[in-house]
Amino acid sequence: MMNLFRRALLLGLVLTLAVPAVQAAKKPRKSKKDELVTISTSLGDIRLVLSELTPVHRANFLKLARSGFYNGTTFHRVILNFMVQGGDPNSKDADPSNDGQGPASEQTLPAEIRPELTHVRGAVAAARTADFMNPERRSSASQFYIVQNPQGTPHLNGQYTVFGQVISGQEVVDKIAQQPAGPANRPLTDIKMTVKVEKLKKKKITEQYGYQY
């Protein structure tokens, strides 16, 4: 009987010790690489990285960028000392009046509003419709904006999903915001974009652009 008790005790001890090892094995490893997004315009290039804390927005943006969806779209709304907005497929057509409205059948993304992701200068966030028609604060599936104000736009914190950060080319964002605009803050001259994605080591991104992970 004593031998059986000792065997049971020993087995229990082995299983107890094994649990942390199994849990440790399941812990996801952090990638040493990241996706660098480059938005090219006639005024220069803007480079940004996307947050892993907003996986839905990150995956959606990367998918659209890789597919060429954004190529030919414009920054259709620019407000100096505030932000520049783009990514609407409507901006590809010849009708400037529908820019920013998005396709009628456009899907939306669930909000991923995180307190640690704020509207600092260069923050990349998802556009959306107003609270009265969108109480869940779901995001546009394609339209985004970049904070241009040097002091940021903290009054938007907690209201829109911030999912990325400019790491190079903020001066280009400034140039875009300074363009003469007409009704609905639409630039009088189209500012078209081409977007590409490349995978780089995080160490290289830090070395080249000074971004700290």
Side-chain angles (χ1 to χ4, degrees):
M1 180 67 70
M2 185 59 70
N3 287 338
L4 288 175
F5 175 76
R6 286 177 178 174
R7 285 183 181 178
L9 183 62
L10 180 60
L11 180 59
L13 180 60
V14 169
L15 290 174
T16 301
L17 292 174
V19 169
V22 171
Q23 291 177 341
K26 289 183 178 180
K27 188 176 180 180
R29 294 176 57 188
K30 284 192 174 182
S31 174
K32 293 183 179 181
K33 293 185 177 182
D34 199 1
E35 309 283 355
L36 178 68
V37 178
T38 300
I39 301 176
S40 297
T41 74
S42 59
L43 298 175
D45 293 344
I46 305 165
R47 292 183 174 83
L48 52 97
V49 292
L50 307 179
S51 177
E52 295 178 350
L53 297 177
T54 53
V56 174
H57 286 70
R58 175 186 169 94
N60 177 73
F61 190 94
L62 291 175
K63 179 181 178 181
L64 293 179
R66 289 194 183 99
S67 72
F69 174 92
Y70 287 117
N71 297 343
T73 62
T74 72
F75 282 99
H76 63 268
R77 183 170 176 243
V78 302
I79 304 176
L80 186 61
N81 292 321
F82 184 28
M83 58 91 227
V84 300
Q85 181 176 334
D88 182 4
N90 287 355
S91 65
K92 292 183 180 182
D93 64 27
D95 181 8
S97 67
N98 66 8
D99 291 1
Q101 296 179 13
S105 60
E106 182 182 37
Q107 299 297 309
T108 57
L109 305 177
E112 292 182 295
I113 299 172
R114 301 287 299 249
E116 60 268 61
L117 299 177
T118 59
H119 284 76
V120 297
R121 176 170 167 82
V124 182
R128 66 174 179 85
T129 53
D131 282 359
F132 74 90
M133 58 188 302
N134 178 25
E136 295 180 351
R137 295 177 171 171
R138 294 179 67 89
S139 301
S140 163
S142 66
Q143 292 189 56
F144 64 93
Y145 60 91
I146 302 174
V147 176
Q148 184 269 328
N149 192 309
Q151 282 71 51
T153 55
H155 62 285
L156 298 180
N157 290 342
Q159 300 183 52
Y160 295 78
T161 296
V162 174
F163 66 96
Q165 180 66 40
V166 171
I167 63 173
S168 174
Q170 185 65 33
E171 72 280 0
V172 177
V173 178
D174 293 339
K175 290 178 183 178
I176 294 173
Q178 293 165 3
Q179 296 304 299
N185 303 114
R186 187 184 186 280
L188 298 178
T189 301
D190 285 352
I191 306 171
K192 296 184 178 182
M193 70 179 80
T194 300
V195 182
K196 71 174 183 178
V197 181
E198 56 185 325
K199 183 170 286 190
L200 295 175
K201 289 183 178 179
K202 291 179 177 178
K203 182 179 179 181
K204 185 173 182 180
I205 291 175
T206 298
E207 290 174 349
Q208 289 190 351
Y209 306 106
Y211 179 77
Q212 298 294 328
Y213 285 91

